[in-house]
């Protein structure tokens, strides 16, 4: 693949959208100016399974300022009801607690909330099941798991390899339900307009992909895609939960259809996010490792058990990383799911890899202890020459370099191998390590448009979305390098379905996919218009397929190092120091890359020590519905955190030589924390988040 020269790329160019954001002039979904807005408040089911038998809306309708009340008995009909999550208000069935069963639209948000409280709902309640267990009688093998990966794989004979191994680890690891909590909750403004005789719908949405929203919602309402326009210039975080529209978008459109002509504004509250917009499924994972006394793996078995919803299947790919991470002649992975009376799980930063690598990397630490081998050396001894899953050569696997560079920077050589061997007053001190991996992908179907304007300015258009990661800045740098001009000469236009097609900001694929499209458009522009184009000269081009994608195994890698302090009397855990060393190809923007990596590491720390959504099985709902009871890592928890990366270019990945870095930072971070806690205390905790009482044995 022909690379572009890096001039602007790699520098820490300040965020081009930074001033607008800090001065409050960058419009987020709920803030776009519209005339005569109305406000929506949803009505949600208060049972986990059953039917709605009656909804008394008379008191709500009599309240001054109420414009419309929607119920399961009178809502507009959808043209396509095949998607169980999106098919709301179409019948009286209740499939989970918190399901949308109605809405009130009013002149103000306060009136809408009051009216929604006045709606009386009667139910015919049925028994429900919301608890995941590894021996659940309704466990099944899905046809495939998230990412279109095969459900099960088998190479060699894992059982025989385990039976013949000199050293074995056989342990079960559990990860908790986690909920995405971006700073900006999910929100949208919808305008349904029939004035021209042909329906036109405008949606200002907080989304990771404007075209994904349009393409998913149009069939539900029997519309052509050109009848829907989606706008999202600025998004306040997503972490995967905004990777596709959810039922709240459908509810807002149904309401806008009912009061055609007036905008409907709907911002999901923090509490409502715990039932409406997806979450990371809890996992139960059994890992079995077999090795020689020298630590060479002879067998890996990884069984993952997760939950899905009765209304729609989502099978998380937790065991997939074990197919590629380490060399072993005998490998087996499997996934089993159970459909429960719960909301649909969905993407959360590094779905599959984050919980899956937690289990694998803690198991590797247990194997290192069993073999009496340094955990870094154990990983190095099990480095595969080629991708164990496909047999393809790596486009660049520098995990060993990450481990060694991190060990030197972290002063790993001074570590005493024995657990519970170091103290600082009342605190037990330990250190842990874990490896990380994440696939380097690019999505198909992306296109970009280049137009030369007066005064040596170029308009660069693509329907990409910046969810706070720095897309405005990184794509400007890529375009400037490809065109050979200063970044000031680039007028980047993104976040609108009026612009050329772009994939979702997800799977760490955004910059790779969109940047490739921009480079392709620049090359086509030069071919057609030369180096001295006339004002108005333009070209629109789709990104070509990468011929190396099928020839090479493309992954990013990393190594996490953590120091943990555990109070010997209370079990309190503190993490004063974290280091991540990563191999992610060329850095597009050093500043935003560092932000992405330390952000992921912070989420890994949060998963290890704090994050857990608690579902009450008696009533079926999550009881930790705010940021006071759903704990996340705060400033006081994040102390000395450092992220660095290797100086490299991946010539096979894309024309920029980069690989995605949005998710690699979270992968393995929780395992490094757990391994450091074990080293400090000598107590092996296999379930996260780790609680103080886990360490008081």
């Amino acid at each position: 693949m022909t690379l572009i020269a890096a001039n602007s790329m790699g520098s820490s160019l300040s965020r081009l959208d930074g001033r607008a954001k800090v001065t409050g002039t960058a419009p987020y979904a709920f803030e776009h100016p519209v005339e005569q807005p109305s406000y929506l408040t949803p009505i949600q089911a208060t049972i986990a399974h059953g039917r709605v038998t009656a909804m008394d809306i008379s008191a709500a309708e009599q309240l001054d300022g109420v414009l419309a009340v929607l119920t399961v008995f009178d809502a507009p009909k959808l043209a396509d009801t095949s998607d169980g999550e999106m098919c709301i208000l179409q019948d009286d069935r209740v499939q989970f607690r918190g399901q949308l069963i109605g809405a009130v639209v009013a002149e103000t948000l306060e009136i809408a909330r009051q009216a929604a409280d006045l709606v009386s709902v009667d139910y015919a309640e049925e028994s429900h099941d919301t608890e995941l267990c590894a021996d659940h009688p309704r466990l099944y093998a899905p046809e495939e798991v998230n990412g279109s990966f095969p459900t099960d794989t088998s190479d060699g004979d894992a059982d025989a390899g385990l039976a013949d191994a000199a050293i074995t680890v056989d342990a079960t690891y559990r990860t908790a339900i986690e909920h995405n909590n971006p700073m900006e909750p999910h929100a949208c403004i919808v305008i349904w307009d029939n004035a021209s005789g042909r329906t036109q719908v405008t949606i200002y949405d907080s989304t990771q992909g404007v075209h994904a929203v349009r393409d998913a919602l149009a069939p539900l309402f029997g519309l052509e895609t050109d009848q829907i326009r989606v706008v999202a210039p600025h998004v306040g975080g997503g972490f995967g939960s905004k990777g596709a529209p959810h039922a709240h978008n459908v509810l807002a459109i149904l309401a806008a259809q009912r009061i055609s002509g007036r905008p409907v504004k709907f911002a999901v509250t923090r509490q409502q996010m715990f039932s409406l917009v997806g979450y990371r499924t809890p996992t139960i994972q059994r890992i079995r490792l077999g090795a020689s006394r020298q630590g060479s793996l002879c067998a890996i078995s990884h069984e993952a058990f997760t939950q899905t919803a009765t209304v729609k299947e989502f099978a998380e790919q937790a065991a997939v990383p074990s197919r590629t991470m380490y060399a072993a002649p005998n490998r087996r992975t499997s996934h089993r799911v159970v459909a429960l009376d719960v909301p649909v799980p969905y993407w959360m930063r590094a779905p599959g890899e984050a919980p899956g690598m937690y289990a694998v990397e803690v198991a590797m630490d247990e194997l290192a202890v069993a073999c009496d081998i340094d955990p870094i050396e154990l990983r190095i001894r099990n480095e595969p020459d080629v991708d164990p899953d496909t047999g393809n050569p790596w486009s660049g696997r520098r995990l060993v370099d990450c481990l060694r560079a991190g060990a030197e920077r972290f002063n790993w050589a001074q570590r005493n191998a024995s657990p519970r061997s170091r103290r600082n007053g009342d605190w037990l001190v330990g250190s842990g390590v874990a490896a990380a991996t994440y696939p380097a992908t690019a999505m198909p179907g992306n296109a970009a448009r280049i137009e030369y304007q007066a005064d040596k300015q170029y308009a660069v258009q693509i329907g990409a979305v910046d969810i706070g990661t720095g897309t405005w800045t990184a794509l400007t740098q890529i375009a400037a390098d490809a065109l050979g001009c200063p970044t000031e000469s680039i007028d980047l236009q993104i976040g609108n379905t009026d612009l050329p097609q772009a994939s979702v900001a997800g799977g760490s694929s955004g910059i790779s996919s969109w940047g490739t499209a921009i480079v392709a458009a620049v090359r086509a522009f030069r071919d057609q218009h030369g180096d001295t184009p006339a004002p108005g000269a333009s070209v629109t081009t789709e990104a070509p397929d990468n011929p190396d994608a099928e020839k090479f195994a493309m992954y990013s890698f990393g190594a996490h190092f953590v120091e943990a302090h555990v109070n010997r009397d209370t079990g309190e855990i503190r993490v004063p120091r974290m280091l991540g060393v990563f191999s992610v190809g060329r850095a597009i923007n050093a500043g935003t890359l560092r932000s992405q990596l330390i952000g992921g590491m912070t989420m890994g720390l949060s998963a290890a020590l704090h994050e857990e959504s608690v579902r009450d099985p008696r009533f079926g709902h999550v009881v930790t519905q705010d940021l006071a009871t759903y704990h996340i890592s705060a400033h006081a928890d994040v102390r000395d955190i450092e992220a660095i990366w290797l100086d490299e270019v991946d010539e096979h990945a894309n024309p920029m030589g980069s690989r995605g870095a949005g998710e690699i930072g979270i992968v393995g971070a929780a395992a490094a924390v757990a391994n450091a806690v074990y080293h400090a205390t000598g107590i092996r905790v296999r379930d996260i988040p780790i609680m103080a009482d886990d360490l008081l044995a």
Side-chain angles (χ1 to χ4, degrees):
M1 175 174 289
T2 304
L3 302 177
I4 60 172
N7 298 312
S8 170
M9 287 196 302
S11 66
S12 292
L13 178 66
S14 296
R15 290 176 181 260
L16 301 180
D17 54 334
R19 177 176 291 275
K21 287 184 173 179
V22 300
T23 57
T25 58
Y28 290 84
F30 201 73
E31 301 171 332
H32 287 272
V34 292
E35 294 184 3
Q36 287 190 294
S38 62
Y39 297 85
L40 182 152
T41 292
I43 302 168
Q44 296 177 266
T46 56
I47 65 171
H49 192 210
R51 292 186 305 109
V52 177
T53 58
M55 297 182 72
D56 184 352
I57 63 174
S58 56
E61 288 183 314
Q62 292 170 13
L63 196 66
D64 287 343
V66 170
L67 301 174
V69 181
L70 283 71
T71 74
V72 296
F73 302 111
D74 63 2
K77 294 302 179 184
L78 297 175
D80 182 351
T81 58
S82 60
D83 187 317
E85 180 190 9
M86 310 292 268
C87 179
I88 58 168
L89 277 61
Q90 302 301 293
D91 58 42
D92 61 4
R93 296 298 305 173
V94 175
Q95 308 286 9
F96 60 89
R97 182 159 175 164
Q99 177 183 316
L100 296 172
I101 58 172
V104 173
V105 184
E107 295 287 357
T108 69
L109 181 58
E110 292 77 13
I111 295 172
R113 285 179 173 173
Q114 182 182 359
D117 287 340
L118 294 175
V119 175
S120 175
V121 183
D122 295 329
Y123 301 95
E125 189 169 2
E126 302 170 16
S127 61
H128 63 266
D129 181 6
T130 62
E131 293 187 272
L132 170 67
C133 56
D135 58 354
H136 198 289
R138 296 201 310 274
L139 283 168
Y140 69 94
E143 290 187 7
E144 62 181 22
V145 294
N146 181 51
S148 300
F149 291 105
T151 300
D152 299 343
T153 60
S154 181
D155 296 292
D157 189 333
D159 288 333
L162 289 165
D164 294 340
I167 305 291
T168 60
V169 169
D170 185 346
T172 298
Y173 306 87
R174 290 176 172 83
T175 62
I177 305 172
E178 297 173 1
H179 275 86
N180 283 311
N181 273 285
M183 290 182 67
E184 179 198 22
H186 294 241
C188 61
I189 304 174
V190 178
I191 306 169
W192 183 288
D193 185 3
N194 288 320
S196 66
R198 185 173 188 259
T199 299
Q200 293 292 329
V201 180
T202 301
I203 306 174
Y204 299 97
D205 196 24
S206 182
T207 177
Q208 293 173 223
V210 290
H211 289 95
V213 170
R214 182 194 66 180
D215 296 346
L217 294 178
L220 299 181
F221 294 89
L223 301 175
E224 300 297 327
T225 55
D226 65 354
Q227 292 177 265
I228 295 182
R229 177 173 177 252
V230 184
V231 181
H234 302 283
V235 177
F239 307 117
S241 66
K242 298 176 183 175
H246 295 284
H248 72 283
N249 296 99
V250 179
L251 186 66
I253 299 175
L254 288 171
Q257 185 179 4
R258 174 66 64 83
I259 63 165
S260 178
R262 285 193 65 175
V264 173
K265 302 182 76 169
F266 180 19
V268 177
T269 66
R270 185 65 62 185
Q271 291 74 23
Q272 291 163 355
M273 287 179 62
F274 284 82
S275 58
L276 295 180
V277 297
Y279 56 95
R280 196 193 300 281
T281 173
T283 72
I284 303 170
Q285 301 176 66
R286 184 186 182 193
I287 305 285
R288 286 180 288 172
L289 303 178
S292 68
R293 296 193 181 279
Q294 292 73 40
S296 295
L297 285 166
C298 55
I300 300 173
S301 174
H302 189 165
E303 303 168 76
F305 303 90
T306 63
Q307 71 185 38
T308 186
T310 57
V311 297
K312 184 178 180 179
E313 181 182 274
F314 179 87
E316 183 135 342
Q317 72 279 22
V320 166
S322 291
R323 299 172 185 175
T324 62
M325 192 59 193
Y326 296 113
N330 304 292
R331 290 177 294 116
R332 180 176 61 220
T333 66
S334 67
H335 299 83
R336 297 294 180 266
V337 298
V338 58
L340 301 174
D341 302 311
V342 295
V344 183
Y346 198 56
W347 300 335
M348 184 171 180
R349 201 172 198 168
E353 282 79 11
M357 283 293 286
Y358 165 74
V360 171
E361 290 303 296
V362 175
M364 286 292 285
D365 199 68
E366 296 200 49
L367 181 62
V369 172
C371 293
D372 194 22
I373 297 173
D374 180 85
I376 293 178
E377 179 60 26
L378 177 72
R379 288 166 172 82
I380 292 173
R381 291 183 186 183
N382 288 285
E383 266 290 285
D385 295 328
V386 297
D387 178 10
D389 191 38
T390 64
N392 287 340
W394 306 101
S395 70
R397 178 173 170 127
R398 298 184 62 188
L399 174 58
V400 172
D401 292 338
C402 293
L403 288 165
R404 287 177 171 159
E408 181 177 356
R409 198 177 189 96
F410 202 75
N411 200 20
W412 185 265
Q414 302 302 313
R415 176 184 188 261
N416 189 317
S418 300
R420 206 178 175 94
S421 60
R422 183 181 167 200
R423 293 190 181 187
N424 183 6
D426 292 333
W427 297 85
L428 306 174
V429 179
S431 52
V433 65
T437 186
Y438 196 82
T441 57
M443 298 294 108
N446 286 273
R449 182 176 184 270
I450 309 292
E451 179 181 348
Y452 182 68
Q453 301 172 329
D455 301 323
K456 298 182 179 180
Q457 295 289 305
Y458 293 88
V460 178
Q461 300 176 332
I462 185 169
V465 174
D466 191 331
I467 62 173
T469 54
T471 298
W472 281 104
T473 309
L475 291 186
T476 297
Q477 291 177 271
I478 291 171
D481 275 14
L483 286 163
C485 67
T487 54
E488 294 80 6
S489 297
I490 303 298
D491 173 20
L492 181 69
Q493 300 170 29
I494 63 174
N496 195 318
T497 49
D498 291 342
L499 304 174
Q501 182 84 23
S503 55
V504 167
S508 299
S509 67
I511 295 299
S512 297
S513 305
W514 309 325
T516 298
I518 288 173
V519 173
V522 169
R523 289 172 176 168
F525 183 89
R526 290 291 188 228
D527 288 343
Q528 292 185 27
H529 303 291
D531 295 330
T532 56
S538 68
V539 68
T540 302
T541 302
E542 278 197 17
D545 293 334
N546 181 359
D548 287 350
E550 300 300 322
K551 301 175 185 177
F552 293 88
M554 299 184 187
Y555 292 83
S556 288
F557 293 94
H560 294 277
F561 296 81
V562 168
E563 179 180 308
H565 294 186
V566 181
N567 189 284
R568 64 181 183 180
D569 297 319
T570 67
E572 178 188 350
I573 305 168
R574 296 180 182 175
V575 175
R577 191 161 60 114
M578 294 183 74
L579 167 67
V581 183
F582 301 96
S583 168
V584 293
R586 174 185 281 155
I588 302 298
N589 182 296
T592 57
L593 172 57
R594 177 182 178 274
S595 292
Q596 285 293 287
L597 295 174
I598 65 173
M601 293 167 67
T602 300
M603 286 185 72
L605 170 67
S606 199
L609 301 181
H610 302 292
E611 293 195 48
E612 180 179 20
S613 297
V614 179
R615 190 178 301 280
D616 187 333
R618 298 171 301 168
F619 306 107
H621 70 302
V622 169
V623 298
T624 48
Q625 292 187 1
D626 53 51
L627 297 185
T629 52
Y630 180 82
H631 296 161
I632 59 174
S633 290
H635 287 87
D637 303 301
V638 184
R639 298 173 67 182
D640 182 359
I641 183 168
E642 182 182 12
I644 62 175
W645 52 91
L646 305 180
D647 184 14
E648 60 180 333
V649 175
D650 189 332
E651 62 183 12
H652 302 292
N654 53 56
M656 298 81 69
S658 63
R659 295 194 296 268
E663 285 154 293
I664 186 71
I666 192 176
V667 180
V673 173
N675 293 339
V677 168
Y678 164 76
H679 185 240
T681 64
I683 300 171
R684 180 68 70 180
V685 182
R686 299 186 176 96
D687 302 348
I688 55 173
I690 302 171
M691 302 296 186
D693 53 0
D694 294 326
L695 305 173
L696 296 179

